[in-house]
Amino acid sequence: MGFVVAIDGPAASGKGTLARRLAEAYGFAHLDTGLLYRAVARILIDKNRPLEDEQAAEAAAAALNLAYVEESRLRGAEMGRAASIVSAYPAVRRALVDFQRRFAEQEPGAVLDGRDIGTVICPDAQVKLFVTASTEERARRRHRELALRGEDIGYEAVLEDLRARDARDSGRATAPLKQAEGAHVLDTSALDIEEALAHARRIVDAARTGA
């Protein structure tokens, strides 16, 4: 098994961009695990099945492969809300655990970001990061991101949606969002991506050299 970096944190905290940049810096594979749940939700939507159909969601998760994880079809506020619903189903989460763990075994290493990477998927990861930011700052980032994609959603609506997602992610019975034991907390509220990346790389470098 290669070197694993597990990155957790709430929506729009900057963990996805940071994970991609870290993977590029070290030549590691990268998996945005949130896209897996968005893909499950997209399968249900494409099949005109309700998101509340837990059995259908489990079947979609069990049959999922990376070929279906087409990022352009999975972004946006609607898919984010849909993913938050299906990710609360224990059966869906169980179906995707092995998928994520197999991905993490790649050489020379892998960076996975999500909500339960350091706590459930890769509790033995060599580096665990918990990336966070204030709710207001996260809402500003998400609002800007949606606007750039042409989605006309007001800031207050984005803020309310993030608060609702945080409550679902932190309050679910299975694999709730929380800081993993031994995780380094990285608050990006006042950091740009280059500053956050430099901080994260210092942590990874120290772990790789045993410093």
Side-chain angles (χ1 to χ4, degrees), residues 26-116:
Y26 294 103
F28 291 172
H30 169 242
L31 179 63
D32 176 350
T33 64
L35 289 180
L36 303 181
Y37 295 96
R38 287 173 180 244
V40 170
R42 171 59 70 184
I43 290 171
L44 295 184
I45 292 171
D46 287 350
K47 292 183 176 180
N48 293 315
R49 302 296 295 270
L51 295 172
E52 293 73 23
D53 189 337
E54 186 170 352
Q55 188 172 9
E58 179 185 7
L64 189 67
N65 60 70
L66 278 177
Y68 197 86
V69 186
E70 174 56 52
E71 188 168 349
S72 63
R73 299 188 70 237
L74 302 177
R75 293 300 182 186
E78 177 195 1
M79 292 310 304
R81 287 190 293 270
S84 187
I85 292 171
V86 300
S87 68
Y89 300 145
V92 169
R93 303 199 74 85
R94 285 194 299 270
L96 293 177
V97 165
D98 287 343
F99 184 104
Q100 295 169 77
R101 286 178 176 164
R102 287 194 301 272
F103 186 94
E105 293 175 352
Q106 297 184 63
E107 296 283 358
V111 181
L112 290 81
D113 69 271
R115 303 290 197 280
D116 63 350

Side-chain angles (χ1 to χ4, degrees), residues 5-8 33 100 112-123:
V5 180
I7 303 181
D8 294 307
T33 64
Q100 295 169 77
L112 290 81
D113 69 271
R115 303 290 197 280
D116 63 350
I117 309 305
T119 55
V120 175
I121 305 301
C122 300

Side-chain angles (χ1 to χ4, degrees), residues 13-210:
S13 59
K15 66 181 183 298
T17 301
L18 179 62
R20 284 192 296 273
R21 293 290 299 275
L22 276 176
E24 291 170 1
Y26 294 103
F28 291 172
H30 169 242
L31 179 63
D32 176 350
T33 64
L35 289 180
L36 303 181
Y37 295 96
R38 287 173 180 244
V40 170
R42 171 59 70 184
I43 290 171
L44 295 184
I45 292 171
D46 287 350
K47 292 183 176 180
N48 293 315
R49 302 296 295 270
L51 295 172
E52 293 73 23
D53 189 337
E54 186 170 352
Q55 188 172 9
E58 179 185 7
L64 189 67
N65 60 70
L66 278 177
Y68 197 86
V69 186
E70 174 56 52
E71 188 168 349
S72 63
R73 299 188 70 237
L74 302 177
R75 293 300 182 186
E78 177 195 1
M79 292 310 304
R81 287 190 293 270
S84 187
I85 292 171
V86 300
S87 68
Y89 300 145
V92 169
R93 303 199 74 85
R94 285 194 299 270
L96 293 177
V97 165
D98 287 343
F99 184 104
Q100 295 169 77
R101 286 178 176 164
R102 287 194 301 272
F103 186 94
E105 293 175 352
Q106 297 184 63
E107 296 283 358
V111 181
L112 290 81
D113 69 271
R115 303 290 197 280
D116 63 350
I117 309 305
T119 55
V120 175
I121 305 301
C122 300
D124 297 324
Q126 288 89 336
V127 170
K128 300 176 190 177
L129 298 174
F130 189 83
V131 181
T132 189
S134 70
T135 308
E136 292 74 19
E137 175 59 24
R138 291 189 291 122
R140 280 191 288 272
R141 293 173 182 174
R142 180 53 52 84
H143 180 254
R144 184 167 59 246
E145 175 188 330
L146 294 173
L148 288 173
R149 285 207 298 267
E151 296 190 43
D152 186 18
I153 301 175
Y155 168 80
E156 291 299 330
V158 173
L159 179 62
E160 184 59 32
D161 182 57
L162 276 182
R163 286 173 174 161
R165 290 184 63 185
D166 287 350
R168 282 197 299 270
D169 291 342
S170 300
R172 65 189 178 219
T174 301
L177 169 65
K178 63 180 181 179
Q179 181 183 332
E181 182 178 352
H184 299 267
V185 178
L186 181 54
D187 189 327
T188 66
S189 298
L191 301 179
D192 63 26
I193 182 55
E194 299 302 332
E195 292 169 326
L197 178 63
H199 190 101
R201 289 196 65 173
R202 286 194 292 270
I203 294 170
V204 174
D205 289 343
R208 296 183 81 196
T209 60

